[in-house]
Amino acid sequence: MSADSAGFAASDVLADDLQKVLVDVTALSLASKQLHWNIVGTGFRSLHLYLDDVVAIAREASDEVAERMRAIQAVPDGRADVVAQTATLPAIPEGVVSTAEGIDHAVAAITAVVATMRDVHEKVDAEDATSGDILIGYIGRLEQQAWFIRSLADRG
C-alpha cells in the first residue's frame, strides 16, 4: 500500500486480483448474452429475462471494477483476447441450448465468477476495503441471480 500526491496506489497484487475479477465479470456478460440469444424450450421467457439481469449486473460490475482500478492507479485490461485467455468461466456451448442446459450453464458461469471474487476478496479487502466492499456487493447480487435461475429447474 502506498500513497503519494496522486493518492492511494494499488500494489501489483491488488491490481492483479482486481484484474482477475474484471475479466471474469466481462466474460460473464458475454456468456450470459450468448445463452440469452440461444435458449429454447419450456421456461424460455423466465430464463431469457433472468439472463438479461445477469448481463446488466456483470456489465455494471466490469465498469465499476475497471473504474476502481483506475482510481487506485492500476490499469484495467478488458481486451477481448485478454478476457478469452484468462477468464475462469466454463465454456458455453455453440448453437441452440435447451432451457435445462441453459440453467446449468448460467449457474456454473455465475458460480465461477463468484468463486474468483471470494478467492481474492480477503487479500483485496486487507489492502483496500473500498475495493473489498465492491466485491461483496456483487457477490451478493450474483449469488441471488444464481438462486433465481437455479429455482427454474425446481419443478417439484
Side-chain angles (χ1 to χ4, degrees), residues 17-154:
D17 285 344
L18 291 175
Q19 177 66 27
K20 290 174 186 174
V21 172
L22 176 62
V23 298
D24 271 8
V25 293
T26 301
L28 178 61
S29 171
L30 296 170
S32 298
K33 227 9 153 168
Q34 180 68 21
L35 289 170
H36 169 89
W37 294 323
N38 290 299
I39 55 168
V40 295
T42 304
F44 160 82
R45 180 143 172 82
S46 294
L47 181 55
H48 185 80
L49 295 174
Y50 279 134
L51 289 166
D52 264 344
D53 292 341
V54 173
V55 169
I57 293 167
R59 287 179 177 168
E60 180 185 322
S62 66
D63 196 47
E64 188 168 3
V65 169
E67 289 180 358
R68 180 65 190 156
M69 290 176 75
R70 289 303 300 136
I72 58 176
Q73 304 178 48
V75 179
D77 193 345
R79 295 173 297 157
D81 60 325
V82 172
V83 173
Q85 292 169 11
T86 59
T88 65
L89 282 66
I92 298 297
E94 182 178 343
V96 174
V97 177
S98 72
T99 52
E101 292 172 330
I103 289 167
D104 292 343
H105 288 297
V107 171
I110 294 167
T111 300
V113 173
V114 168
T116 296
M117 290 178 173
R118 287 184 176 282
D119 184 53
V120 303
H121 178 263
E122 191 172 311
K123 290 186 295 179
V124 167
D125 194 55
E127 184 171 343
D128 180 33
T130 302
S131 295
D133 287 351
I134 290 168
L135 298 183
I136 288 295
Y138 286 109
I139 288 169
R141 291 174 68 189
L142 289 170
E143 286 179 337
Q144 182 184 49
Q145 291 303 309
W147 164 46
F148 290 165
I149 293 169
R150 204 172 32 249
S151 73
L152 293 173
D154 296 337

